[in-house]
């Protein structure tokens, strides 16, 4: 038996940060992504976002690498979004992403943060939020490559 606790907040945006995730259809997208996560033997704690990006807070099963996990979520949801007709103008997900680890002590705070994304983004842009997350998590980055 293996025991683990690997919490990730994963953040990625739409290609060119286009506002193509319509609020009236985002719940269907989130349910679809939840199915992908479940099939990867991972547990979703919270998913939410805005018109140009999403946040996923989940654990990561030891049999799955982070890069493959995110790639599988992006590829499958990309195809579904285009085929569903619910997201006109959606061209795909951006290539990059952010992934940040958290402890059990931070779990509820991260869940609440993601839960309140729509309200949060009335005050802060995705670009500013992502930059802040990088800084808060001590991730070095080059401004010219920032999402």
């Amino acid at each position: 038996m293996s025991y683990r606790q690997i919490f990730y907040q994963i953040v990625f945006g739409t290609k060119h940060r286009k506002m193509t995730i319509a609020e009236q259809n985002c719940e269907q997208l989130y349910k679809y992504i939840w199915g992908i996560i479940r099939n990867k033997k991972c547990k979703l704690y919270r998913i939410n976002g805005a018109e140009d990006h999403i946040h996923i807070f989940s654990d990561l099963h030891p049999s799955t690498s982070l890069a493959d996990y995110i790639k599988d979520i992006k590829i499958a949801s990309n195809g579904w979004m285009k085929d569903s007709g619910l997201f006109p103008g959606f061209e795909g997900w951006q290539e990059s992403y952010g992934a940040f680890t958290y402890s059990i002590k931070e779990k509820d705070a991260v869940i609440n943060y993601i839960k309140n994304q729509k309200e949060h983004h009335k005050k802060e842009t995705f670009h500013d939020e992502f930059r802040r997350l990088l800084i808060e998590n001590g991730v070095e980055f080059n401004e010219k490559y920032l999402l």
Side-chain angles (χ1 to χ4, degrees):
M1 185 72 190
S2 297
Y3 301 97
R4 95 290 184 187
Q5 177 187 323
I6 309 169
F7 296 128
Y8 275 101
Q9 178 182 189
I10 298 162
V11 183
F12 55 87
T14 58
K15 197 173 209 173
H16 309 296
R17 283 184 270 180
K18 289 189 176 180
M19 304 288 200
T20 54
I21 304 173
E23 188 169 348
Q24 68 267 24
N25 297 322
C26 64
E27 287 301 316
Q28 290 172 272
L29 171 62
Y30 300 159
K31 286 178 184 176
Y32 185 83
I33 291 173
W34 184 20
I36 298 165
I37 291 169
R38 201 172 38 241
N39 288 338
K40 302 288 284 174
K41 299 179 186 167
C42 299
K43 181 173 180 177
L44 177 65
Y45 291 98
R46 191 69 193 182
I47 185 171
N48 203 358
E51 294 87 359
D52 62 346
H53 73 284
I54 63 171
H55 293 251
I56 297 168
F57 186 57
S58 70
D59 83 334
L60 187 64
H61 191 273
S63 66
T64 304
S65 75
L66 177 63
D68 286 343
Y69 181 59
I70 295 170
K71 180 182 79 172
D72 292 347
I73 290 170
K74 284 181 167 185
I75 288 172
S77 62
N78 177 62
W80 179 82
M81 289 173 78
K82 288 178 177 177
D83 292 344
S84 73
L86 299 173
F87 304 92
F90 178 77
E91 296 176 18
W93 297 112
Q94 65 188 124
E95 287 183 35
S96 56
Y97 61 86
F100 310 100
T101 57
Y102 293 91
S103 72
I104 190 73
K105 293 175 187 172
E106 299 164 300
K107 180 181 168 194
D108 289 339
V110 175
I111 289 170
N112 285 328
Y113 175 77
I114 293 172
K115 180 180 177 182
N116 294 312
Q117 277 294 292
K118 304 238 182 330
E119 188 64 31
H120 171 78
H121 283 290
K122 291 179 181 176
K123 301 174 198 151
E124 184 177 45
T125 66
F126 173 43
H127 181 270
D128 291 342
E129 173 189 47
F130 193 74
R131 187 176 191 283
R132 181 181 47 76
L133 285 169
L134 291 169
I135 292 167
E136 286 176 358
N137 286 279
V139 177
E140 291 183 25
F141 62 96
N142 185 326
E143 286 284 345
K144 73 178 186 179
Y145 299 116
L146 194 59
L147 305 173

